């Protein structure tokens, strides 16, 4: 996974990218002061994080700049960007706002454990992605789902293209390149 030829060459224009949050968009840090990992299923911890901790949890300034560049390029190319996470939107959205990344995601395209749409699928991300794809009349190759959980990836493989973030530390250059390849963007 992750070696995409430009989808447009054979299948038509890519339409959407579905991102997980924890360990995909984020790079969870261990919070020494509370002896816990900063993951978005812990709303109370996320609410107490300082701005510096929030930025560290997204990988720091250099990685955030790369994320912003990627998300901007995807939006400018006309793709719809989604977040489908088992974390709570009330936890991760403030972090995205603080980093200046929330502007790339329409609020109706952000789903977490506290979203009725994800709850109705039994928290199976592939089912929610399938519903969105059917509603938009998108075929399998029109969308890419990126997640660090192999179980969530496997549940979506028949629905859309997938990219497994295998290193556990969030997306980095390898994944950024694969996403750009999928979206037919020139690498930069």
């Amino acid at each position: 996974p992750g070696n995409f030829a430009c989808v447009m060459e054979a299948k038509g224009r890519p339409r959407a990218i579905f991102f997980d949050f924890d360990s995909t968009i984020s790079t969870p840090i261990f919070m020494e002061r509370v002896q816990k990992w900063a993951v978005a299923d812990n709303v109370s911890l996320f609410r107490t994080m300082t701005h510096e901790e929030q930025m560290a949890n997204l990988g720091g300034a250099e990685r955030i700049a790369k994320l912003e560049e990627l998300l901007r390029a995807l939006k400018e190319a006309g793709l719809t960007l989604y977040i489908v996470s088992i974390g709570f939107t009330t936890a991760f959205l403030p972090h995205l706002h603080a980093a200046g990344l929330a502007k790339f995601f329409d609020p109706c395209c952000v789903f977490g454990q506290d979203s009725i749409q994800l709850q109705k699928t039994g928290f199976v991300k592939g089912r929610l992605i399938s519903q969105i794809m059917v509603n938009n009349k998108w075929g399998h190759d029109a969308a890419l789902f990126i997640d660090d959980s192999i179980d969530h990836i496997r549940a979506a493989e028949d629905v859309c293209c997938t990219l497994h973030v295998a290193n556990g530390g969030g997306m980095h250059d390898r994944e950024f390149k694969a996403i750009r390849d999928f979206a037919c963007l020139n690498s930069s």
Side-chain angles (χ1 to χ4, degrees):
N3 295 325
F4 297 103
C6 176
V7 170
M8 260 194 312
E9 292 172 9
K11 305 286 184 174
R13 188 168 77 81
R15 301 295 202 168
I17 308 276
F18 294 86
F19 294 94
D20 172 44
F21 182 77
D22 286 320
S23 296
T24 300
I25 292 176
S26 78
T27 59
I29 59 171
F30 187 74
M31 305 281 298
E32 291 290 339
R33 64 182 169 85
V34 292
Q35 296 295 295
K36 293 184 180 183
W37 286 96
V39 291
D41 61 353
N42 190 335
V43 177
S44 60
L45 174 61
F46 264 53
R47 286 186 179 145
T48 67
M49 290 173 72
T50 66
H51 180 76
E52 292 75 22
E53 289 168 335
Q54 290 175 337
M55 297 307 101
N57 206 46
L58 290 168
E62 183 179 329
R63 184 174 178 276
I64 291 168
K66 287 181 179 183
L67 279 169
E68 184 171 9
E69 178 186 341
L70 174 66
L71 297 173
R72 178 175 285 110
L74 294 169
K75 287 296 278 189
E76 288 173 356
L79 278 81
T80 304
L81 305 182
Y82 293 84
I83 296 175
V84 181
S85 174
I86 300 302
F88 288 91
T89 62
T90 55
F92 65 77
L93 278 175
H95 286 221
L96 293 174
H97 280 286
L101 300 176
K103 64 188 171 202
F104 298 109
F105 300 94
D106 187 304
C108 71
C109 296
V110 177
F111 304 92
Q113 187 175 148
D114 46 350
S115 303
I116 190 76
Q117 299 92 330
L118 189 56
Q119 292 170 7
K120 285 182 178 180
T121 68
F123 302 103
V124 178
K125 295 177 186 182
R127 287 185 196 152
L128 176 60
I129 293 168
S130 177
Q131 291 171 3
I132 292 167
M133 300 224 5
V134 167
N135 289 342
N136 285 286
K137 297 178 174 57
W138 293 334
H140 179 278
D141 294 333
L144 174 65
F145 171 51
I146 306 138
D147 202 306
D148 67 307
S149 164
I150 195 65
D151 292 334
H152 287 296
I153 289 291
R154 286 185 181 136
E157 286 174 335
D158 291 339
V159 175
C160 64
C161 298
T162 59
L163 175 61
H164 182 225
V165 180
N167 66 7
M171 297 182 296
H172 288 285
D173 291 339
R174 179 187 85 84
E175 290 83 13
F176 296 156
K177 181 185 181 324
I179 293 164
R180 286 180 168 281
D181 288 349
F182 172 83
C184 306
L185 301 174
N186 293 330
S187 294
S188 59

